[in-house]
Amino acid sequence: MTPPPSSSSTSADAAVTGTPEPVDAPAGTTAPDDSTLPKKWSRIMIPFVRPSIEGGIWPIKRSVDESVDVRAGVVVDSHEAIEVELVVTDPEGETTIHRMTPEENDEYSGRFEVTELGRYAYTVRAWLNRFATWQDQFRRRVAGGEPHEELESELQAGVDLVRAAMENADGTDAKKLKADLEAFEAGDEEAAMGEGIAARVRRNAPHDMMVESQTYEVIVDPKIARSGAWYEFFPRSTRDDGKHGTLDDAAERLEGIRDMGFDVVYLPPIHPIGVQHRKGKDNAPTAEPGDPGSPWAIGGLLEDGTKGGHKSVHPDLGGMEAFDRFVEKAEDVGLKVAIDIAFQTSPDHPYVEDHPEWFHHRPDGSIRYAENPPKKYQDVYPINFENEDWPALWTELQDVFQFWIDRGVTIFRVDNPHTKPFAFWEWCLAELRKDTPELIVLSEAFTKPKTMYGLAKLGFNNSYTYFTWRNTKDELTGYAKELFHTDVAEYFRPNFWPNTPDILHDFLVHGGRAAHQLRFVLAATLSSAYGVYGPPYEHVFNHQHPDREEYAKNEKYEIRTWNWDDPMSLQDFMGRVNAIRKDNPALQQMRSIRFHETKNPNLIAYSKKSGDNLIVVVVNLDPHNPQEGQLDLDNGALGLPHDDAFIANDLLNDTRYTWRGQHHYVRLSPDRPAHIFRLEQEGQEHEVFERPVHD
Amino acid sequence: MTPPPSSSSTSADAAVTGTPEPVDAPAGTTAPDDSTLPKKWSRIMIPFVRPSIEGGIWPIKRSVDESVDVRAGVVVDSHEAIEVELVVTDPEGETTIHRMTPEENDEYSGRFEVTELGRYAYTVRAWLNRFATWQDQFRRRVAGGEPHEELESELQAGVDLVRAAMENADGTDAKKLKADLEAFEAGDEEAAMGEGIAARVRRNAPHDMMVESQTYEVIVDPKIARSGAWYEFFPRSTRDDGKHGTLDDAAERLEGIRDMGFDVVYLPPIHPIGVQHRKGKDNAPTAEPGDPGSPWAIGGLLEDGTKGGHKSVHPDLGGMEAFDRFVEKAEDVGLKVAIDIAFQTSPDHPYVEDHPEWFHHRPDGSIRYAENPPKKYQDVYPINFENEDWPALWTELQDVFQFWIDRGVTIFRVDNPHTKPFAFWEWCLAELRKDTPELIVLSEAFTKPKTMYGLAKLGFNNSYTYFTWRNTKDELTGYAKELFHTDVAEYFRPNFWPNTPDILHDFLVHGGRAAHQLRFVLAATLSSAYGVYGPPYEHVFNHQHPDREEYAKNEKYEIRTWNWDDPMSLQDFMGRVNAIRKDNPALQQMRSIRFHETKNPNLIAYSKKSGDNLIVVVVNLDPHNPQEGQLDLDNGALGLPHDDAFIANDLLNDTRYTWRGQHHYVRLSPDRPAHIFRLEQEGQEHEVFERPVHD
C-alpha cells in the first residue's frame, strides 16, 4: 500500500509558513519549552509546488527519459536574496540538487530527467543567501558613492559571511575563499563585488533559515506505457479450418502483427473456461455442444481431470508450454505480451470448491452468481473482497499477477477494476512494483470519470477512455483538452481504442472503410498510447449485434476464421500509421497537443511537437463526403517561419506541399480521410529524429 | 502558531484510497502483522474537498452568519449506495452532521452556517449504506417479477441489516425498527421497500467501511471584517487654529464620521514621536523647530521625562486618558477604533536603550538605521526579528497588540508586515485570536502578489490591494475577477482604498471632483470592505508632491486644518453611498459580483446579488466627458423577468426607470459619474432587506 508520501507533519512546535518543516532553528536562544513560540521557524514561504496531485497525496507519472518540469512559488519577507533548489532522489536513493531559476511573479522553475524505472522523489527547498543580499547592497553603496570609510566598514560585514562559507568548503573553493577573505580584510572592494566569489560562497554557505516543501513523488514507467500500440486478438481464432486454435497457431500471427508496427499483443483470458451455465454463441443463455464459451468465465477442467483457474492455461490453447513458447516467440520478434486479468470465476473454478468463503452467499448458503436485477449471469461468480478471509484472498490474487510476471509477462489488462475495492488495487499494484517497476496495468473501467481517474491515481498506468464514443470535432477536442491539458495528464495515461470485443460503435457500422481508417488515425495520433481489437478492424468487419452496440458473431462466444492475407485489409494502412508514429517523437507523447482552426466542423486538425519534430494531423470526420477547409496555423507558437516557405510532407499519402504563411487549403475525401503532415524547414527534411522526448 | 490542521497521517498500515483514514477495519480477519496488507481499508475514495486552500494547509475565511458551501467528489467501487456526510465542529467543540446531496458527476454538496466567531472544522465522511443497496436490488427484483420464493429468500438477506440498525437505535426508531423486523420476517415485501424504513435504518446503521477526508478549517471573523467602511484621519489635524489636536479634539469628529456612514475610524500611530533625526515638512531630511514629525517614527519622550514606545500615547495627543475617552466616545456613537501597528522605532524608543540586541548592528557596534542603498532613513531603526533574544522580542511585540486589546481595540492596521518574518505573524495572530476571535488585522503590504496572499493565508483578515492603481475597465475587471472569482476569495479579504497618506494617484490629481466621486463608488461597491483617507478626499484636496505620487503638504509630516463644514465637500455624497451599502446586503459581500457589457470602454457595469436584493452599479471611468452606452443584462442569471417590466431605482440619484428586456441605454457625465441601481420587481420596492447574506 502507499501511504501519502511524507505528508505534512503536525508537530506542534514548527511555525510552518506554508511549508511543513523549517529545517533549522534560528540562531541563538531557543524558545522556552513552556511558551507557545515556535521551536523552528523560517522567513521563507513555499506556497505551492507543481506538478502535484491533490497536494501530493498521489504520485505523478512519467516514463523513462522524460523530464519533470517543476515550478514553485517562493517568497521571503523584505528584500533578502534566496536560493531555491530542487532536490531529487532517484529510485536507488541517490540525491541530486538542481538550482532553480527565478521566473515572473516569484515563481521558480527547475527540471530533472527521469532515466530509471521506479519512484523518484522531489522536494523544493529554499534558504537565505545572505552573501547575495550583502553583495547587492554593497554594490549599490559603491554606485551611490558612499565614502570610503563607510564602505570599509560595510566590507567587514561581509567578512563573516565569507568565513562561514570557507569553513564549510574544501578543495579549490576552500583555497579561493581563503584568498577572498584576505582580499576582504585588505579592503578590496572589487574582489567583494565579483560573480566568482558569489558562486563560491553560495556553494559553501550554511543554508540559513532553510525550509523544505513536502516531498512529491513521480512513478517512472517504461516508455511503452506512454507510446505503446496495442493489438488485441483471440488466439483460438487463428486457424483457417475453423478449429480451436492453440497459442502455437496464434504465434504464427506475431510476425504479421510486428510488421504492422504494433508493440504489444494483448490476449483475452487464456484460462480454462467454465462448463456450468456456459454461454452460447452471441451470448445465448445456453451453450450448444462444441461452443467454446467466453474466456471471461474463468476456471474449468484441465486435461488431467483437475480444475484450473487463473494460474493455468486452457488445454485447447495448448497449455502452459504453448504459452511459454508464445511469449518466447513474441520476444524474438520484438513484441510484448499482455494478458487479461479478470477477477471473477465460473462455477467450475477451483476457488469455488477450495474457498467457498471467498464468494457472496445467498441466505440459503448457495453462492451468489452475478446479478444486476432483474438480469442474472449464472455463468459468473463475483469474488467477495470483503469476506472474513480477505487477507488470504488478496494475497492469492496478488500472486496471480506474480505467477505471470514470473513467466515473463509484465503488461496486464485488468477487467472491470472498478468493481473491486480501490484499496485492493492500491496495495496490490504498489507491492508488485517493488520488484517489477516495469509493470504496465491497463484499467478497463468504462465508468464514472472520478472512478476512472481514481484508479489511475492509485496505480493503474494505462486506462481505457471514452474515446470510443467521441466522434464529433467538439467531442474530440473537448475530451482531448480534459485529458492532455489539465492535471489529469499528470497521472492518467489514456489508451485510445476505436473498438473492443464489447464495443462496435454505430460510427464504424455506418461509416465503413473510411470510418475505420479515420478512427484509427485519430486513436493513433491523438493519444500516444492506443490499441485496436485487430481482426475485425483490419478486415472492416462491422456487422453489429441486432440489440447491442457490439459485434455480431462475437469472438467472445465463438471461434472465427480470418483471411490474414486479404489484400483488401487495412493491414498496410495500419502499418503505415504505426511506422509514422515510430519515426516521429512528436507522436510518442501527449501533452504538446494543440488544436487548429479549419473553418469546417468536419475537419479536425491538431499538431504535436517534440524538439524540432512538428506533426500536423488533419482528419475528415465525415466518412461519406469530401470536405474542404482552411487550416490556420499559429506559426509563431509552432516555430514556423512567418514569410519563408516550408514543406508540409504528408507522410501518410507521400505528398509534399510547399506552404507559406498561416492559412492553408486542405481537402480530404473518404478514400483519403487523413493527412499526417511533418512540417519541415529548409534542410530539415532528412534529419533523423531520435532526440529524447519531453512530454 | 498554526500547524497544518490534521494533515494526512502517514501511518503505514492504512491503504488510503485518497483519504487519510479509513475509520473501520473490515469485518473478520485482521491482516497478519508481518504482511504488507493494510490493517484498515475502505471501498470509498474522497478525491477532493472544496473549499480548501493548498490541500487544507490553510484555513478559509468567513464572517459571522455567512455559510460555507462544501463540495466533495466521492466514489465507491461497483454500484453500492453510499451516505456522504459533512461533519462540522464549531468553536465550542459542538459537532453537527449534515447529510450531503448528490450532484452531477459524483459530486456531493453540503452547507453549514457559521454563527460564532473563531475556528470551525469540517470533514467529509462517507460509508456504505448496505440497506439502500439491498433495497434498490430488491425493488428491481420485485419489478422484474422474480418468483415469490426467491423474493422471500432475498427478504431474509435484509433482515440482518435491519437488525444491526435496530441494535444501535433507541426511542421511536428502536420501536419502529422492531416492527419492521417482524414485518420482514413475516415476508412483507411492501414494508421492505418503503422510504420510512430506509430513513430509520440509515439513521441507525453501523457506518460500514467509513472513510473520512482530512479536516479543513474556516476562521470566522466579525461581519465588519467583510463589510467594514474605514475612515482614516490624523487626530492631531482636527483643530481650527493650526495647533496640535488632541484625541479629545479628534473625538469631536466622530459623530460626523458616523453620520457619513463609516464603521471604523483608523488612526495613524498615536505614540510619542522620535526627536533624533526627525523629518521635517514633506519628508525634509531635517525638522524645523515645531515640526511634529512622522507618527511612524515611533518612540520618544513622555511628559514625565521617561521614554514612551508602542504602549504609550503621545503627550500632545492628550496621553492615555484621552485615548481611553476617544475609544469610549467612538463606542457611544457606534464606531470601531482601529490603530496602527508599525514594528520599527525612532532612535529615541525605549527598546533602543533597554534591548539594543533587538536591532541590527554595523561592524562598529552602532545600531543600523533603515537603508535601501544608497537611500538612508536615519530616523527609523528596523527591528531584527532574528536576533539571539528573539523569544523575548516576539513575546513583547505580541504584548503590544494585547496591550491595546486590553484597552478596547480589536482592529489593527499593520504597517509593512511583509518586512517582518511570516512565521512571526503566523504565531502572533493565531495566539491573539485564541482569546480575541473578533480580531481584525489589515495588512499594509503593497508588494508581490504571492507575499500579499501569503500574509492573508497565515492570519491577516483584511488586506490592502492594488485597487489604488487600477483605473481602466480592463484593469478593474481583471483584478476583481482574480480577487473575487478564484480561490483567492476564500482567504484574502480585499480592502479597497482610493487613496492613503502615501498614495495620491495621478487619476485623482487630474480628474478632480468627478474622479474622487467615481473612485469612491468603485471602492465602496466593488469590494464590500473599503476605506478612505478621509480629510483630503472629502475636500478634494489633490495637490501632488512634485517628485512623488503622494500628497503635497503631507499630513504625515505636518499639522493641517480642514474646514469640516465646507458645503462643497463630498461628505454628503460619501454618506449617501454608505447608506446605500448599509441598506443593501448585496453590497455587503464580494463573491457574487458579475460584470456586464456596456459597449463603451469608459463605462464599467457590474451587479451583486444577495437573496432578492439585486444591485447594478454603472460607473463612468472618464472624469472629463459624458459617456453613453448600452447595458446588457443576463436576465435569466439575475432572476429578472424576460418580458415584464421592472424598476431600475437609482439609489444614488433618486431616479426610477422602468426597464424591459436585456438592453438598457445608460448615460453618465462628470457631474453624475455613477448609477447605483436597485433592480426591483412588482411589489418589491418597499421591502426591507435584512435577510442573512451568503457571501
Side-chain angles (χ1 to χ4, degrees):
Chain A
M1 90 236 102
T2 331
S6 69
S7 50
S8 313
S9 149
T10 51
S11 72
D13 60 355
V16 296
T17 60
T19 53
E21 284 293 334
V23 173
D24 291 318
T29 316
T30 307
D33 279 339
D34 61 348
S35 92
T36 60
L37 285 159
K39 292 279 180 293
K40 296 192 276 185
W41 54 271
S42 175
R43 293 171 52 191
I44 304 171
M45 284 179 85
I46 305 182
F48 50 87
V49 174
R50 288 155 299 159
S52 58
I53 307 304
E54 292 172 31
I57 292 178
W58 306 109
I60 64 162
K61 296 194 178 79
R62 288 293 186 275
S63 57
V64 167
D65 289 336
E66 283 191 293
S67 57
V68 180
D69 287 305
V70 178
R71 304 275 293 202
V74 188
V75 285
V76 61
D77 70 77
S78 312
H79 301 282
E80 292 272 4
I82 51 175
E83 286 300 308
V84 183
E85 294 168 334
L86 176 61
V87 183
V88 178
T89 307
D90 73 13
E92 273 81 50
E94 292 288 312
T95 292
T96 49
I97 294 166
H98 310 250
R99 200 175 177 208
M100 295 182 77
T101 309
E103 309 282 353
E104 279 195 351
N105 192 17
D106 301 295
E107 294 265 316
Y108 290 76
S109 66
R111 164 182 288 193
F112 63 99
E113 313 287 327
V114 290
T115 53
E116 308 290 329
L117 292 169
R119 281 184 183 250
Y120 284 69
Y122 55 103
T123 308
V124 172
R125 69 183 192 188
W127 44 277
L128 295 184
N129 186 338
R130 296 204 193 262
F131 187 75
T133 304
W134 175 88
Q135 208 178 33
D136 170 60
Q137 295 206 343
F138 189 76
R139 282 188 191 124
R140 289 192 281 150
R141 287 179 202 281
V142 172
E146 285 197 11
H148 185 69
E149 62 279 14
E150 285 196 25
L151 287 178
E152 203 156 328
S153 157
E154 292 301 334
L155 210 49
Q156 295 312 311
V159 162
D160 285 349
L161 300 168
V162 177
R163 182 176 296 114
M166 191 189 74
E167 282 163 7
N168 278 348
D170 45 30
T172 315
D173 271 1
K175 252 181 269 175
K176 289 198 173 173
L177 283 165
K178 190 155 183 289
D180 291 329
L181 196 62
E182 283 158 14
F184 260 61
E185 288 175 328
D188 180 346
E189 292 168 18
E190 283 303 318
M193 291 192 284
E195 292 296 336
I197 184 173
R200 282 190 290 281
V201 175
R202 188 183 69 238
R203 280 195 296 269
N204 300 287
H207 291 181
D208 215 2
M209 286 265 159
M210 186 159 84
V211 285
E212 289 179 349
S213 75
Q214 71 175 94
T215 298
Y216 303 89
E217 289 194 317
V218 49
I219 290 195
V220 180
D221 294 316
K223 191 187 163 201
I224 206 172
R226 185 179 84 231
S227 60
W230 295 45
Y231 183 94
E232 174 179 7
F233 73 119
F234 285 78
R236 69 189 181 188
S237 291
T238 45
R239 291 175 63 93
D240 300 336
D241 56 8
K243 288 192 183 146
H244 197 294
T246 65
L247 285 160
D248 292 313
D249 296 318
E252 299 293 312
R253 287 295 308 131
L254 289 171
E255 278 160 328
I257 295 166
R258 188 266 324 272
D259 291 346
M260 275 190 275
F262 288 96
D263 304 302
V264 178
V265 279
Y266 151 48
L267 306 178
I270 51 176
H271 317 299
I273 295 170
V275 174
Q276 286 186 61
H277 297 291
R278 175 179 288 188
K279 293 293 171 84
K281 289 195 175 64
D282 273 333
N283 205 19
T286 315
E288 301 296 319
D291 278 348
S294 162
W296 281 273
I298 292 164
L301 285 175
L302 292 183
E303 283 163 327
D304 62 4
T306 62
K307 285 181 172 180
H310 285 78
K311 295 174 179 170
S312 60
V313 176
H314 197 308
D316 291 349
L317 285 172
M320 197 60 79
E321 294 74 18
F323 180 76
D324 290 341
R325 287 190 296 271
F326 183 87
V327 171
E328 199 181 333
K329 173 88 181 281
E331 195 170 315
D332 286 349
V333 308
L335 287 168
K336 295 271 180 196
V337 175
I339 66 167
D340 194 292
I341 298 287
F343 283 143
Q344 58 193 21
T345 78
S346 81
D348 300 322
H349 195 289
Y351 292 165
V352 177
E353 208 171 292
D354 299 346
H355 300 282
E357 70 279 11
W358 289 359
F359 297 87
H360 298 276
H361 296 264
R362 316 186 76 190
D364 66 5
S366 63
I367 292 180
R368 274 192 191 273
Y369 43 78
E371 286 185 280
N372 185 15
K375 290 189 193 163
K376 297 169 192 294
Y377 308 91
Q378 290 94 336
D379 58 329
V380 169
Y381 288 171
I383 290 171
N384 177 6
F385 281 75
E386 294 178 68
N387 80 81
E388 301 232 340
D389 192 35
W390 68 269
L393 168 70
W394 289 29
T395 305
E396 164 64 14
L397 296 182
Q398 186 199 61
D399 198 55
V400 168
F401 281 100
Q402 193 59 54
F403 177 89
W404 296 105
I405 289 170
D406 293 342
R407 299 198 98 83
V409 178
T410 56
I411 308 185
F412 299 91
R413 179 266 198 193
V414 173
D415 191 73
N416 283 326
H418 58 293
T419 60
K420 288 88 191 173
F422 298 120
F424 168 75
W425 295 120
E426 184 176 18
W427 164 77
C428 176
L429 300 180
E431 285 302 309
L432 292 170
R433 286 206 168 90
K434 285 181 182 168
D435 289 329
T436 311
E438 66 269 38
L439 191 69
I440 295 177
V441 203
L442 168 62
S443 159
E444 191 247 5
F446 292 110
T447 182
K448 309 180 276 190
K450 283 195 179 61
T451 301
M452 295 168 67
Y453 295 151
L455 289 163
K457 286 174 189 164
L458 54 77
F460 286 88
N461 55 356
N462 259 229
S463 303
Y464 284 86
T465 69
Y466 296 130
F467 167 75
T468 320
W469 295 274
R470 298 288 179 271
N471 289 290
T472 69
K473 184 173 170 176
D474 281 353
E475 287 169 356
L476 289 162
T477 309
Y479 194 46
K481 288 182 178 173
E482 174 179 332
L483 295 180
F484 305 132
H485 290 173
T486 71
D487 274 355
V488 169
E490 298 291 352
Y491 62 87
F492 181 88
R493 269 207 208 90
N495 196 317
F496 275 11
W497 289 68
N499 72 330
T500 78
D502 292 314
I503 312 162
L504 172 63
H505 193 281
D506 286 348
F507 189 83
L508 294 176
V509 175
H510 302 306
R513 185 177 186 88
H516 281 67
Q517 288 182 304
L518 76 91
R519 293 289 298 172
F520 188 83
V521 170
L522 290 171
T525 60
L526 276 170
S527 182
S528 51
Y530 85 105
V532 65
Y533 162 38
Y537 207 89
E538 69 205 61
H539 294 98
V540 194
F541 174 86
N542 57 352
H543 295 199
Q544 215 178 26
H545 188 281
D547 308 325
R548 295 187 294 272
E549 200 175 50
E550 64 175 56
Y551 282 97
K553 300 173 70 181
N554 198 321
E555 282 190 285
K556 284 172 71 174
Y557 309 106
E558 64 189 279
I559 292 164
R560 296 281 299 273
T561 56
W562 302 99
N563 175 7
W564 304 113
D565 304 318
D566 183 354
M568 286 300 294
S569 86
L570 295 179
Q571 288 171 357
D572 286 349
F573 180 82
M574 291 157 71
R576 183 74 178 238
V577 171
N578 280 331
I580 296 169
R581 280 169 48 91
K582 285 222 173 12
D583 282 350
N584 291 279
L587 294 174
Q588 295 160 21
Q589 48 81 45
M590 310 175 184
R591 273 178 272 162
S592 76
I593 197 166
R594 193 189 285 260
F595 290 87
H596 303 285
E597 182 57 66
T598 64
K599 305 223 167 45
N600 181 335
N602 288 296
L603 291 178
I604 191 170
Y606 45 93
S607 63
K608 288 183 163 186
K609 195 171 182 344
S610 176
D612 290 340
N613 184 222
L614 173 58
I615 296 290
V616 172
V617 180
V618 186
V619 177
N620 177 7
L621 301 175
D622 177 356
H624 306 292
N625 302 291
Q627 295 285 345
E628 59 183 18
Q630 178 187 291
L631 171 67
D632 292 345
L633 297 178
D634 179 348
N635 290 30
L638 295 175
L640 290 169
H642 284 280
D643 301 317
D644 292 344
F646 54 93
I647 304 295
N649 183 357
D650 186 344
L651 305 170
L652 195 55
N653 305 308
D654 258 341
T655 320
R656 301 164 74 87
Y657 305 86
T658 301
W659 283 0
R660 221 178 260 280
Q662 301 196 251
H663 310 296
H664 312 287
Y665 174 77
V666 281
R667 183 179 192 280
L668 289 164
S669 55
D671 63 327
R672 179 188 268 209
H675 293 297
I676 305 179
F677 294 117
R678 182 163 61 205
L679 301 192
E680 299 163 353
Q681 297 180 49
E682 193 71 25
Q684 193 198 333
E685 298 98 300
H686 305 293
E687 267 190 40
V688 177
F689 297 99
E690 292 190 330
R691 57 186 68 73
V693 180
H694 301 303
D695 197 350
Chain B
M1 88 238 105
T2 332
S6 68
S7 50
S8 313
S9 148
T10 50
S11 72
D13 59 356
V16 296
T17 59
T19 54
E21 283 294 334
V23 173
D24 292 317
T29 316
T30 309
D33 279 340
D34 61 348
S35 91
T36 60
L37 285 159
K39 291 280 180 292
K40 296 192 276 186
W41 54 271
S42 174
R43 293 170 51 189
I44 304 171
M45 285 179 85
I46 305 182
F48 51 88
V49 175
R50 288 155 298 159
S52 58
I53 307 304
E54 292 172 32
I57 291 177
W58 306 107
I60 64 162
K61 295 194 178 79
R62 289 293 186 275
S63 57
V64 168
D65 289 336
E66 283 191 295
S67 58
V68 180
D69 288 304
V70 178
R71 304 274 295 201
V74 187
V75 285
V76 60
D77 71 78
S78 310
H79 302 281
E80 292 271 4
I82 51 175
E83 285 300 308
V84 183
E85 295 167 334
L86 176 61
V87 183
V88 178
T89 306
D90 73 12
E92 273 81 51
E94 292 287 312
T95 293
T96 50
I97 293 166
H98 310 250
R99 199 175 177 208
M100 296 182 78
T101 310
E103 310 282 352
E104 279 194 350
N105 193 16
D106 301 295
E107 293 265 314
Y108 290 77
S109 66
R111 165 182 287 192
F112 63 99
E113 312 288 327
V114 290
T115 54
E116 308 290 330
L117 293 170
R119 280 183 184 250
Y120 284 70
Y122 54 103
T123 308
V124 173
R125 69 183 191 188
W127 44 277
L128 295 184
N129 186 338
R130 295 205 194 261
F131 187 74
T133 304
W134 175 88
Q135 209 179 32
D136 170 59
Q137 295 208 344
F138 189 75
R139 283 188 190 124
R140 289 193 281 149
R141 286 179 203 282
V142 172
E146 284 199 10
H148 185 69
E149 61 279 11
E150 284 196 26
L151 287 178
E152 203 155 329
S153 157
E154 292 301 334
L155 210 48
Q156 294 311 311
V159 163
D160 285 349
L161 300 168
V162 177
R163 182 176 296 116
M166 192 188 72
E167 282 163 6
N168 277 350
D170 44 31
T172 315
D173 271 1
K175 253 181 267 174
K176 288 200 173 172
L177 282 166
K178 190 155 182 288
D180 292 329
L181 196 62
E182 283 158 15
F184 260 61
E185 288 176 328
D188 181 346
E189 291 168 18
E190 283 303 318
M193 290 191 285
E195 293 295 337
I197 184 173
R200 283 189 289 282
V201 175
R202 187 183 69 239
R203 280 195 295 271
N204 299 287
H207 291 180
D208 215 2
M209 285 265 159
M210 187 158 85
V211 285
E212 289 178 350
S213 76
Q214 71 176 94
T215 297
Y216 303 89
E217 289 194 317
V218 48
I219 290 196
V220 180
D221 294 316
K223 190 187 164 201
I224 207 173
R226 185 179 82 231
S227 59
W230 295 45
Y231 183 94
E232 174 179 8
F233 74 119
F234 285 78
R236 70 190 181 188
S237 291
T238 46
R239 290 174 64 90
D240 301 334
D241 58 7
K243 288 191 183 149
H244 197 293
T246 66
L247 284 160
D248 293 310
D249 295 317
E252 299 292 311
R253 286 296 308 131
L254 288 171
E255 278 160 327
I257 294 167
R258 188 265 325 272
D259 291 345
M260 276 190 275
F262 288 96
D263 305 300
V264 178
V265 279
Y266 150 50
L267 307 178
I270 52 176
H271 317 297
I273 295 171
V275 174
Q276 285 186 61
H277 297 290
R278 176 178 286 187
K279 293 293 171 83
K281 288 195 176 64
D282 275 331
N283 204 19
T286 315
E288 301 297 318
D291 279 347
S294 163
W296 282 272
I298 291 165
L301 287 175
L302 291 182
E303 284 162 325
D304 63 5
T306 63
K307 284 182 172 179
H310 285 79
K311 295 174 179 170
S312 60
V313 176
H314 198 307
D316 291 348
L317 286 172
M320 196 60 78
E321 294 74 17
F323 180 77
D324 290 341
R325 287 190 296 272
F326 182 88
V327 171
E328 198 180 334
K329 172 89 183 280
E331 194 170 316
D332 287 348
V333 308
L335 287 169
K336 296 271 179 195
V337 175
I339 65 167
D340 195 292
I341 298 286
F343 284 143
Q344 59 194 20
T345 78
S346 81
D348 301 322
H349 196 288
Y351 292 165
V352 177
E353 208 171 292
D354 299 345
H355 300 282
E357 70 279 12
W358 289 359
F359 297 87
H360 298 275
H361 297 265
R362 316 187 77 190
D364 65 6
S366 63
I367 292 181
R368 274 192 191 274
Y369 44 76
E371 286 186 280
N372 184 17
K375 291 188 194 164
K376 297 168 192 295
Y377 308 90
Q378 288 96 335
D379 58 331
V380 169
Y381 287 172
I383 290 171
N384 178 7
F385 282 76
E386 294 177 69
N387 79 80
E388 300 232 341
D389 192 34
W390 67 269
L393 168 70
W394 288 29
T395 304
E396 164 64 14
L397 296 182
Q398 187 199 60
D399 198 55
V400 168
F401 282 99
Q402 194 60 53
F403 178 89
W404 296 104
I405 289 171
D406 293 342
R407 299 197 98 82
V409 177
T410 56
I411 308 185
F412 299 90
R413 179 265 200 194
V414 173
D415 192 73
N416 283 327
H418 58 293
T419 60
K420 286 87 190 173
F422 298 119
F424 168 75
W425 295 120
E426 184 176 19
W427 164 78
C428 177
L429 300 180
E431 285 302 309
L432 292 170
R433 287 207 166 90
K434 286 182 182 169
D435 289 328
T436 311
E438 65 270 38
L439 191 69
I440 296 176
V441 203
L442 168 62
S443 159
E444 191 246 6
F446 292 109
T447 180
K448 310 181 274 189
K450 282 195 179 62
T451 301
M452 294 168 67
Y453 295 150
L455 289 163
K457 286 175 189 163
L458 54 77
F460 287 88
N461 55 357
N462 259 229
S463 302
Y464 284 86
T465 69
Y466 296 130
F467 167 74
T468 321
W469 296 273
R470 298 288 179 272
N471 289 290
T472 70
K473 184 172 171 175
D474 280 353
E475 286 169 358
L476 288 163
T477 308
Y479 194 45
K481 287 183 178 172
E482 175 180 332
L483 295 180
F484 304 133
H485 290 174
T486 70
D487 274 356
V488 169
E490 298 291 352
Y491 61 88
F492 181 88
R493 268 205 208 90
N495 196 318
F496 276 10
W497 290 67
N499 72 329
T500 77
D502 292 313
I503 313 163
L504 171 63
H505 193 280
D506 285 348
F507 190 83
L508 294 177
V509 175
H510 301 305
R513 185 177 185 87
H516 280 67
Q517 287 182 304
L518 77 91
R519 292 290 297 171
F520 188 82
V521 170
L522 290 170
T525 60
L526 276 170
S527 183
S528 51
Y530 85 106
V532 65
Y533 163 38
Y537 207 88
E538 69 205 61
H539 294 97
V540 194
F541 174 85
N542 58 351
H543 295 199
Q544 214 178 28
H545 188 282
D547 307 326
R548 296 189 291 273
E549 200 175 50
E550 65 176 56
Y551 284 97
K553 300 173 70 180
N554 199 320
E555 281 191 285
K556 285 172 69 174
Y557 310 105
E558 63 189 278
I559 292 164
R560 296 280 300 274
T561 57
W562 302 99
N563 175 7
W564 303 113
D565 304 318
D566 183 353
M568 286 301 294
S569 86
L570 295 180
Q571 289 171 358
D572 286 349
F573 180 82
M574 289 158 71
R576 183 74 178 239
V577 172
N578 280 331
I580 296 169
R581 282 170 46 92
K582 284 219 171 19
D583 281 351
N584 291 281
L587 294 174
Q588 295 161 22
Q589 48 81 44
M590 309 175 185
R591 273 178 272 162
S592 76
I593 197 166
R594 192 189 286 259
F595 289 87
H596 302 286
E597 182 56 66
T598 64
K599 305 223 166 43
N600 181 334
N602 287 297
L603 291 178
I604 189 170
Y606 45 93
S607 62
K608 287 183 164 186
K609 195 172 183 342
S610 177
D612 289 341
N613 185 222
L614 173 59
I615 296 291
V616 173
V617 179
V618 186
V619 177
N620 177 6
L621 300 175
D622 177 356
H624 306 291
N625 303 291
Q627 295 285 346
E628 60 184 17
Q630 178 187 292
L631 171 66
D632 292 343
L633 296 178
D634 179 348
N635 290 30
L638 295 175
L640 291 169
H642 283 280
D643 300 317
D644 293 343
F646 54 94
I647 304 296
N649 183 357
D650 186 344
L651 306 170
L652 195 55
N653 305 308
D654 258 342
T655 320
R656 301 164 73 86
Y657 305 85
T658 301
W659 281 0
R660 222 177 259 281
Q662 302 196 251
H663 310 297
H664 312 287
Y665 174 76
V666 282
R667 183 178 191 282
L668 289 165
S669 54
D671 63 328
R672 179 188 267 208
H675 292 297
I676 304 180
F677 294 117
R678 181 163 60 206
L679 301 192
E680 299 163 353
Q681 298 180 48
E682 193 70 26
Q684 195 199 330
E685 297 97 301
H686 305 293
E687 268 188 39
V688 177
F689 297 100
E690 291 190 330
R691 56 187 68 72
V693 180
H694 301 301
D695 196 351

